[in-house]
């Protein structure tokens, strides 16, 4: 099967360029670039006025399978990814059982191969059961196909355990993805600690809960030489700490989520549990610092932290609701509306943070659009706008604080390995 994408504008991070070209896809690979390409028996895709990108990669998603299939499955989560313009995602190990051994990694890979719409790269747990006590069988996880280690959702409180984990990960050349949260500081908190938490009478999670652990993990990465990736950066202080670490030449990278560069803690005032997320929505100063961090390269990656929850789990008092936002189906629209159309990022910079950069951190041969590369492509219509309607989500998680928002920039086609896995139907 051949696909010929005609008349699109290509954004190519590997060539650091944007240009008009047709793209021919054959046998699951990118075959030819050029203008006015013709090909018999090829399926023609009209990309006039559209942007053709390397398939987007989400470095941080929760697929919930095995164990929490009422919230999401590998099938539904990857369907949501395809609709959101993602061709690959890395999934976090906080499933049940936790992905702390090779059989869970194999299970995820098999399920993804059988019923997944996009490429799935599992992340293995750092510690057994993500309990933060003993290291998981890290080499075995790598061998089974894990691309990184993380205890995301939980922080490893014990510095000695994190230190050993980083030493071990460095030895086998794997990145560690840190969920930075001092759980004594954040204990029982439901939202950012500040003016609005006082006003609403909710227990707060101070910025320091994140920054204390960002500091610790940067120090440990410096000691061990570990490739440290800091998940979901939410505070101005964290952005500064990461900026300093990079200036010192440490192998530290970081990600921000669309909700953290868009929303503030003021959003919590209606007690809508879809605004409850960990780390919490912070202040306007924090949001602006995250945007600045994205702009100056301190923050390398935009990742969704897609955290779907079954509706009944979120339909409880704010204090009792689980943390998380269903993010795969709104990410592109938020990046385009909040960062590209505002001039904070160029289209090329935005695309780099969702393709080449996450691919480099995970060490996967994705995220570029060169001849011979896997034909994973995303086509977006930057001129189209659409209202967020959670009732139309294909994810099982409808927990979004963006319902009703008009977003510009709509994924219109997603191609994985030369096959169309999603096409926009209006
Ligand atoms: O909001 C969040 N939800 N933050 C996390 O760190 C974990 C995630 C989840 O698994 O629901
Ligand atoms: Zn996390």
């Amino acid at each position: 099967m051949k696909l010929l994408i005609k008349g699109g504008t290509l954004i190519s991070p590997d060539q650091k360029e944007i240009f008009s070209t047709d793209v021919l896809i054959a046998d699951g690979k990118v075959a030819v670039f050029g203008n006015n390409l013709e090909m018999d028996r090829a399926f023609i895709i009209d990309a006039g006025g559209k942007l053709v990108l390397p398939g987007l990669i989400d470095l941080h998603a929760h697929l919930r399978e095995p164990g929490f299939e009422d919230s999401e499955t590998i099938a539904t989560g990857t369907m949501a990814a395809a609709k959101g313009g993602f061709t690959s995602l890395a999934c976090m190990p906080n499933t049940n059982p936790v992905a702390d051994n090779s059989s869970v990694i194999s299970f995820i890979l098999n399920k993804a191969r059988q019923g997944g719409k996009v490429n799935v790269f599992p992340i293995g747990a750092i510690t057994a059961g993500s309990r933060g006590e003993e290291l998981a069988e890290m080499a075995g996880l790598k061998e089974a196909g894990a691309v990184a280690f993380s205890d995301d959702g939980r922080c490893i409180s014990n510095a000695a355990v994190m230190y050993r984990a980083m030493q071990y990960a460095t030895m086998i050349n794997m990145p560690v993805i840190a969920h930075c949260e001092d759980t004594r500081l954040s204990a029982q908190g439901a939202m950012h600690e500040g003016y609005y938490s006082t006003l609403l009478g909710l227990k707060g999670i101070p910025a320091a809960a994140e920054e204390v652990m960002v500091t610790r993990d940067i120090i440990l990465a410096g000691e061990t030489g570990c490739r440290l990736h800091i998940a979901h950066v939410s505070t101005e202080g964290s952005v500064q700490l990461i900026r300093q670490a990079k200036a010192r030449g440490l192998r530290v990278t970081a990600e921000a989520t669309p909700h953290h560069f868009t929303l503030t803690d003021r959003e919590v005032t209606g007690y809508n549990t879809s605004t409850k997320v960990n780390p919490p929505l912070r202040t306007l100063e924090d949001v602006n610092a995250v945007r600045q961090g994205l702009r100056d390269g301190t923050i390398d990656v935009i990742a969704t932290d897609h955290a779907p929850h079954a509706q009944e789990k979120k339909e409880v008092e704010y204090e009792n609701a689980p943390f998380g936002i269903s993010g795969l189906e709104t990410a592109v629209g938020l990046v385009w509306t909040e960062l590209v159309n505002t001039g904070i990022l160029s289209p090329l910079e935005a695309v780099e943070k969702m393709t080449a950069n996450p691919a480099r951190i995970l060490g996967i041969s994705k995220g570029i659009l060169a001849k011979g590369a896997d034909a994973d492509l995303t086509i977006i219509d930057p001129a189209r706008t659409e209202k967020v309607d959670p009732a139309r989500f294909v994810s099982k998680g409808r927990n979004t604080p963006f319902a009703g928002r008009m977003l510009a920039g709509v994924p219109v086609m997603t191609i994985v390995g030369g096959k169309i896995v999603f096409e926009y139907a209006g």
Side-chain angles (χ1 to χ4, degrees):
M1 177 66 170
K2 294 191 174 82
L3 300 180
L4 181 53
I5 304 172
K6 289 187 78 73
T9 300
L10 193 86
I11 302 187
S12 171
D14 45 315
Q15 296 165 62
K16 296 259 172 219
E17 256 193 275
I18 295 188
F19 52 95
S20 299
T21 179
D22 299 344
V23 187
L24 178 70
I25 292 166
D27 303 324
K29 304 280 177 192
V30 176
V32 187
F33 295 103
N35 286 311
N36 307 313
L37 291 183
E38 300 291 341
M39 179 58 62
D40 289 345
R41 286 175 288 118
F43 182 78
I44 308 286
I45 296 159
D46 176 11
K50 315 278 195 322
L51 302 173
V52 179
L53 325 174
L56 304 179
I57 301 168
D58 188 6
L59 190 151
H60 186 150
H62 297 269
L63 293 181
R64 305 299 191 212
E65 191 178 359
F68 304 105
E69 290 84 355
D70 55 331
S71 291
E72 195 78 290
T73 63
I74 291 168
T76 59
T78 57
M79 219 189 292
K83 182 166 166 240
F86 294 93
T87 57
S88 294
L89 59 80
C91 59
M92 284 296 175
N94 61 340
T95 47
N96 186 17
V98 169
D100 64 358
N101 63 80
S102 51
S103 59
V104 181
I105 299 291
S106 303
F107 170 85
I108 292 166
L109 287 170
N110 280 333
K111 275 267 168 171
R113 220 169 283 129
Q114 287 160 18
K117 287 265 184 204
V118 306
N119 307 299
V120 172
F121 295 94
I123 295 168
I126 299 174
T127 63
S130 284
R131 283 185 296 271
E133 291 159 8
E134 294 117 38
L135 296 188
E137 309 155 24
M138 294 166 78
L141 289 167
K142 180 183 180 180
E143 205 140 297
V147 292
F149 300 116
S150 182
D151 275 357
D152 183 63
R154 295 189 176 194
C155 183
I156 296 174
S157 306
N158 185 331
V161 173
M162 191 57 150
Y163 180 65
R164 296 276 173 247
M166 286 196 195
Q167 283 182 320
Y168 204 76
T170 310
M171 250 159 55
I172 59 174
N173 190 25
M174 289 274 277
V176 167
I177 303 175
H179 169 111
C180 294
E181 175 186 355
D182 183 311
T183 47
R184 295 251 168 78
L185 282 172
S186 66
Q188 278 96 50
M191 66 175 297
H192 173 67
E193 180 175 295
Y195 172 80
Y196 286 103
S197 65
T198 309
L199 194 74
L200 298 172
L202 290 171
K203 187 160 181 322
I205 300 173
E210 177 171 317
E211 292 156 9
V212 162
M213 284 298 171
V214 170
T215 306
R216 182 199 75 176
D217 287 349
I218 286 172
I219 290 170
L220 297 179
E223 285 289 317
T224 58
C226 180
R227 283 196 284 136
L228 169 68
H229 179 75
I230 305 203
H232 40 53
V233 171
S234 75
T235 78
E236 181 177 15
S238 297
V239 175
Q240 277 167 6
L241 290 160
I242 295 159
R243 191 178 285 123
Q244 286 159 10
K246 287 190 162 191
R248 284 165 49 210
L250 301 184
R251 301 207 290 174
V252 174
T253 55
E255 78 194 23
T257 69
H259 45 273
H260 288 119
F261 65 64
T262 304
L263 301 176
T264 67
D265 55 345
R266 188 163 174 248
E267 217 68 34
V268 183
T269 47
Y271 295 99
N272 173 1
T273 56
S274 286
T275 63
K276 186 172 176 184
V277 66
N278 189 16
L281 303 174
R282 304 281 190 185
T283 67
L284 188 60
E285 288 72 34
D286 295 310
V287 169
N288 286 335
V290 168
R291 289 174 174 230
Q292 182 54 34
L294 285 160
R295 190 189 178 109
D296 69 18
T298 301
I299 299 174
D300 310 81
V301 167
I302 296 165
T304 66
D305 194 4
H306 178 71
H309 289 290
Q311 203 160 333
E312 63 272 17
K313 290 186 188 156
K314 279 281 196 181
E315 281 175 352
V316 295
E317 308 72 43
Y318 202 88
E319 290 93 330
N320 296 328
F323 292 99
I325 289 173
S326 181
L328 284 167
E329 292 167 76
T330 50
V332 165
L334 288 164
V335 168
W336 236 258
T337 307
E338 297 292 328
L339 302 178
V340 176
N341 290 348
T342 54
I344 292 168
L345 296 182
S346 68
L348 180 61
E349 288 166 337
V351 169
E352 278 173 339
K353 290 185 198 293
M354 300 177 88
T355 57
N357 294 357
R360 197 184 56 246
I361 291 162
L362 297 173
I364 59 176
S365 54
K366 297 281 180 191
I368 57 160
L369 256 188
K371 219 178 136 176
D374 293 344
D376 293 355
L377 293 94
T378 300
I379 305 178
I380 74 172
D381 186 345
R384 190 181 281 272
T385 58
E386 202 177 41
K387 197 187 218 169
V388 177
D389 179 4
R392 297 181 62 190
F393 277 12
V394 296
S395 166
K396 288 193 182 187
R398 307 236 158 139
N399 45 306
T400 176
F402 297 108
R405 273 212 187 208
M406 287 302 291
L407 298 180
V410 175
V412 291
M413 186 175 281
T414 308
I415 299 170
V416 175
K419 293 201 183 78
I420 298 170
V421 296
F422 167 75
E423 188 171 3
Y424 183 75

